[in-house]
Amino acid sequence: GNSVTQMEGPVTLSEEAFLTINCTYTATGYPSLFWYVQYPGEGLQLLLKATKADDKGSNKGFEATYRKETTSFHLEKGSVQVSDSAVYFCALTQGGSEKLVFGKGTKLTVNP
Amino acid sequence: GAVVSQHPSWVICKSGTSVKIECRSLDFQATTMFWYRQFPKQSLMLMATSNEGSKATYEQGVEKDKFLINHASLTLSTLTVTSAHPEDSSFYICSAFSGRRGLMNTEAFFGQGTRLTVV
């Protein structure tokens, strides 16, 4: 079945450091890929998404490129801020379904 | 953006009692809502799909008699954990999609989650 594997955290960085959170997936066909973020005390929010191969999703300085050849959707940000501290979830849906399959989540802490 | 409100945010109950968790879409109608469960350091696992006006669809391994789902209106779904036991302690999250199904511009909106502790 479909699955998502993302790097385990926690990840601790200093402000302005470069961030990469790896995400790979297993799915048949062409899933849609998502990154969700959960700030402390809040619900999950969509950060970015990509619906087909080679698409790049971007938002708030974060980027992720849908790589069909490596079945990956790594999240990157060139310069993190303290306010980026949160838990990040990689997820997919497939075949027009609204069912989301999530990775385990990666907790990011950014120190001033 | 659309808002999904989940209540309560946390609850402690005694073993054997039942607990109801509400999930409301505040500014949009949701014919379908989803209930997830999250264990510490684990992924969100889909428990069931709540369908307005019809029975919920449960994922494999989820006891439908234990986790009762009611979706009586287009803005409210409830999850009732019946005869709760300590192993039911977990973080429960609901979500709803805003937008027309099947279109790429639909987006899932999530409630804040409910931390259930059964003692």
Side-chain angles (χ1 to χ4, degrees), chain B residues 29-72:
Chain B
Q29 294 182 334
T31 55
T32 305
M33 292 185 176
F34 299 88
W35 287 96
Y36 294 85
R37 181 174 179 177
Q38 184 180 25
F39 294 98
K41 298 183 180 180
Q42 297 291 323
S43 177
L44 280 76
M45 301 299 296
L46 180 65
M47 298 175 64
T49 303
S50 173
N51 304 299
E52 188 269 335
S54 65
K55 292 182 179 180
T57 306
Y58 290 82
E59 297 298 304
Q60 191 172 10
V62 178
E63 298 177 60
K64 62 180 181 180
D65 294 330
K66 182 165 189 62
F67 298 99
L68 300 179
I69 291 173
N70 184 278
H71 195 153

